[in-house]
Amino acid sequence: MTETTDTTVGAVPIREYELPSVPDEVLEEPFSFYTMLRDMPPTEIASNMWILTRFEDVEWAALHPEMFSSAGGNSWAEGAIGNILFAADPPDHTRHRKIATQAFSARRTAVQQEARIREVVNELIDDFIDLGRVDIVEAFANPLPTRIIAEILGMGGDAGAQFKVWADGLLRPLIVFASTGEFSDAERELWKANYEEVAAYFHALLDERRANPRDDVLSTMLGADIDPPPTDDEVLSLVTHLIIAGHETTTNMLGSGVYLLAQLPEVQDRLRANPELMPGAVEEILRLESPVQNLFRTTNQDVEVGGVVIPGGSMVVLSWASANRDPSHFENSEQFDPKRTNAAAHMSFGKGIHACLGAALARTEGRIAFEELLRRTDRIHLAAQPEHRKDSGVVFRGFQHLEIEFDKR
Amino acid sequence: MRLTVESDLCEGNAVCVQTAPGLFTLGDDDKVVITTSEVPARDEERALLAVHMCPKQALAAD
């Protein structure tokens, strides 16, 4: 066991750790692995790398950021996007969060976008409804969140189309980096070049909004009621963060939701007959197929959790996806039940000070997407073997391709 | 049926707004606002579902 002293965030130095090597079969079907881990005390799955899998333990860690540091746990991201929001601790985090929350409020992003989301959803469905068969990831799950977040950030016209390229360029290398520790010089250069394009675009847009403020996310961030006032660089970091966090996660939710519904024809019919059950169905999709499966923290001190002492400076994986299927918290936890009363207690958006800022937007996109998909189709079923993304590591889970067939209604 | 919210508990998850859009909305501070003093009988089931689903258990119905 070796210790390094060059990475110090919080009270204790972060120990040198190993990333666990996870076989492809487990990435494809991680849930039986989680079930096995839940029956054991918190486990050191690789050198100085621990995993929490029980609902109670994961929730407790999420609610104690003073012991479980996000700046330490996500210091891999520091070189790329800086210690911001998900990779920050108070007091920095408190400031970022305040700027972002005022602007990216649930009211502004979800409630006010309802009609526009429904319009985009139906435009996308129009393009494939007569075909009877479609790759729902390509045609729907990818473009929907991309278009909505680009619009919310005030990008118009061609920039909207450019957005997906930028967003993937910002996100993919980080996912690989988080899961494998690999970030080659060549990749780092590519990442930087892409980031600089994004930065140039948004710096210009921020100048424009500063001159002509509107009732939108960028203007509200710039004018955030905080002392000292936000700098352009801070706002740019937050925007980058919203892009990274806000597109593929929602894509994964939509793809996984269609996958689950395709396997459950009786649930499809029940939701068609009772669309008021859709919010509960969205919670179940989120619970069963958490788009973010696991995230990292480091311990700021020796911490006792689940009867085990995790030494200070250790990496800890919080397994949201495992917590979501913990039968001691969710009765018949493997079952899809849109009437489950505690469904929304899942951990897919995290919990505590780092809880997902875009949760209300994601829920709204999910509800409207499935309402319209089911309203306009019958008998959605799988047309080919679905393909999970192979490059999502242990952090994300979602489909690369999902071919479905359906009847037009 | 009447709905009440404990605003200190509400963290703007907006699950109730999804579940029963006519009965709840969000205010400027992202806290839930109950839009009706008396829940119409036809909406009671939705209202109860929203109360049960609140991740913070911030809502009540009587």
Side-chain angles (χ1 to χ4, degrees), chain A residues 105-107 111 276-277 279-280 283 339-341 344-345 360 363-364 367, chain B residues 12-15 17-19 25-28 30 45-46 49 52-53 55:
Chain A
S105 67
R107 186 181 62 91
V111 178
E276 73 277 7
L277 294 179
E283 299 307 325
K339 281 197 145 173
R340 183 187 296 280
T341 50
R363 285 179 157 123
T364 304
R367 173 175 51 80
Chain B
N13 284 295
V15 173
V17 182
Q18 308 288 332
T19 310
T25 188
L26 292 178
D28 288 344
D30 256 8
E45 201 179 333
R46 270 173 191 252
L49 194 59
H52 290 309
M53 289 207 8

Side-chain angles (χ1 to χ4, degrees), chain A residues 283-302:
Chain A
E283 299 307 325
E284 283 293 83
I285 289 164
L286 287 162
R287 185 180 69 81
L288 287 166
E289 286 284 347
S290 187
V292 181
Q293 295 266 302
N294 303 290
L295 272 183
F296 303 97
R297 301 285 193 269
T298 52
T299 45
N300 275 338
Q301 61 189 74
D302 293 358

Side-chain angles (χ1 to χ4, degrees), chain A residues 307-374:
Chain A
V308 169
V309 175
I310 300 179
S314 304
M315 281 293 255
V316 182
V317 179
L318 306 193
S319 185
W320 317 120
S322 171
N324 286 351
R325 292 189 184 217
D326 187 338
S328 67
H329 200 82
F330 299 101
E331 210 176 306
N332 298 320
S333 61
E334 303 295 317
Q335 218 169 330
F336 188 110
D337 175 8
K339 281 197 145 173
R340 183 187 296 280
T341 50
N342 71 343
H346 62 72
M347 305 278 287
S348 302
F349 294 121
K351 204 156 205 170
I353 66 167
H354 293 282
C356 177
L357 264 176
L361 175 60
R363 285 179 157 123
T364 304
E365 287 185 43
R367 173 175 51 80
I368 297 173
F370 296 117
E371 275 172 5
E372 295 301 316
L373 268 179
L374 293 184

